[in-house]
């Protein structure tokens, strides 16, 4: 069954009854239609807000995904700068012709280099991990809001369909009672005519 729009409900017109005893009470029908229009307007607004939230979440995810390579690049740049500074410090150390001292300095430089590379990798992995955790949290939150909203909309649609079914049942019952009443009146008139 297609979902009614606010425009469909507001512009719905029922046939005017031939007499005051025929058909629905116009005030009740108008009141119900106003409630339907208000509900649909509220649901449309909520849907628009949720779509905007979902769009923001997707934009944030894209931002985090784009930031991850920059984090790695920044960590590598910092590591290279530290590495260069340490080599400069090693370079400015007192020089000696002693081969053993040179070997020790090279070993120190190699160890510092390895430490900074390891630190840079560790920092970049930590930042990527944090970005991925944030991305997962945002996605999970957006999906939860989406699922809650869909469930709520389904429940409200079910309530509306049930009310419509009740109104249709009321209409059938009302018409049946009215028909029986009119037939009874007609029979009374015929019986009165027969007695005369």
């Amino acid at each position: 069954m297609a979902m009614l729009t606010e425009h469909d409900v507001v512009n719905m017109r029922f046939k005017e009854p031939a007499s005051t005893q025929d058909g629905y009470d116009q005030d009740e029908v108008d009141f119900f239609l106003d409630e339907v229009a208000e509900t649909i307007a509220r649901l449309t607004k909520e849907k628009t807000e949720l779509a905007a939230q979902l769009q923001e979440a997707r934009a944030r995810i894209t931002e985090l995904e784009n930031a991850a390579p920059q984090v790695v690049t920044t960590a590598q740049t910092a590591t290279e700068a530290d590495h260069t500074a340490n080599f400069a410090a090693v370079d400015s150390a007192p020089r000696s012709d002693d081969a053993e001292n040179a070997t020790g300095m090279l070993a120190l430089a190699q160890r510092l280099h390895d430490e900074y590379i390891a630190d840079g990798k560790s920092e970049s992995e930590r930042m990527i991990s944090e970005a991925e955790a944030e991305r997962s949290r945002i996605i999970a939150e957006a999906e939860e809001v989406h699922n809650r909203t869909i469930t709520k909309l389904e429940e409200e649609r079910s309530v509306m369909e049930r009310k419509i079914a009740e109104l249709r049942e009321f209409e059938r019952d009302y018409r049946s009672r009215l028909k029986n009443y009119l037939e009874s009146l007609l029979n009374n008139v015929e019986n009165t005519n027969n007695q005369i």
Side-chain angles (χ1 to χ4, degrees):
M1 178 179 198
M3 198 100 156
L4 292 175
T5 65
E6 183 178 0
H7 179 75
D8 293 335
V9 175
V10 169
N11 291 318
M12 177 67 179
R13 295 290 179 258
F14 293 95
K15 290 182 182 177
E16 291 294 324
S19 70
T20 56
Q21 296 178 352
D22 204 343
Y24 292 117
D25 179 303
Q26 195 69 33
D27 291 335
E28 285 183 71
V29 172
D30 287 343
F31 179 75
F32 175 72
L33 290 176
D34 288 343
E35 284 184 342
V36 171
E38 184 181 320
T39 301
I40 291 174
R42 185 169 31 88
L43 294 176
T44 303
K45 181 181 175 190
E46 286 178 13
K47 179 183 173 191
T48 303
E49 289 171 356
L50 288 171
Q53 289 176 6
L54 184 59
Q55 186 64 30
E56 286 175 19
R58 286 182 177 154
R60 179 72 178 137
I61 289 166
T62 303
E63 181 184 321
L64 290 173
E65 287 174 343
N66 291 338
Q70 292 173 355
V71 167
V72 172
T73 303
T74 304
Q76 287 173 346
T77 304
T79 301
E80 288 169 5
D82 287 342
H83 175 65
T84 303
N86 283 324
F87 273 115
V90 169
D91 246 2
S92 66
R95 295 182 182 268
S96 166
D97 291 337
D98 187 22
E100 193 174 304
N101 192 20
T103 305
M105 289 176 119
L106 286 173
L108 174 63
Q110 183 62 45
R111 184 173 57 80
L112 287 172
H113 173 266
D114 292 345
E115 283 178 8
Y116 283 118
I117 293 292
D119 288 347
K121 284 182 181 175
S122 159
E123 182 65 12
S124 70
E125 287 171 2
R126 182 188 67 77
M127 293 174 98
I128 289 170
S129 173
E130 286 177 2
E132 286 178 352
E134 178 71 6
R135 175 180 156 250
S136 297
R137 184 190 66 75
I138 290 170
I139 289 172
E141 193 175 284
E143 286 176 351
E144 181 184 342
V145 168
H146 172 75
N147 291 338
R148 262 200 327 260
T149 304
I150 292 296
T151 302
K152 184 178 177 185
L153 290 173
E154 287 293 335
E155 288 172 358
E156 290 183 3
R157 185 176 77 175
S158 174
V159 168
M160 296 296 289
E161 288 175 351
R162 190 169 59 248
K163 284 184 178 179
I164 289 169
E166 287 172 2
L167 283 172
R168 286 185 178 147
E169 181 62 32
F170 173 78
E171 177 190 20
R172 280 193 293 273
D173 183 50
Y174 183 80
R175 286 178 186 264
S176 173
R177 284 187 286 142
L178 181 61
K179 181 181 175 185
N180 290 340
Y181 176 72
L182 292 174
E183 286 175 352
S184 169
L185 285 177
L186 186 60
N187 287 337
N188 286 344
V189 168
E190 288 176 359
N191 287 341
T192 305
N193 285 342
N194 288 340
Q195 290 175 0
I196 295 174

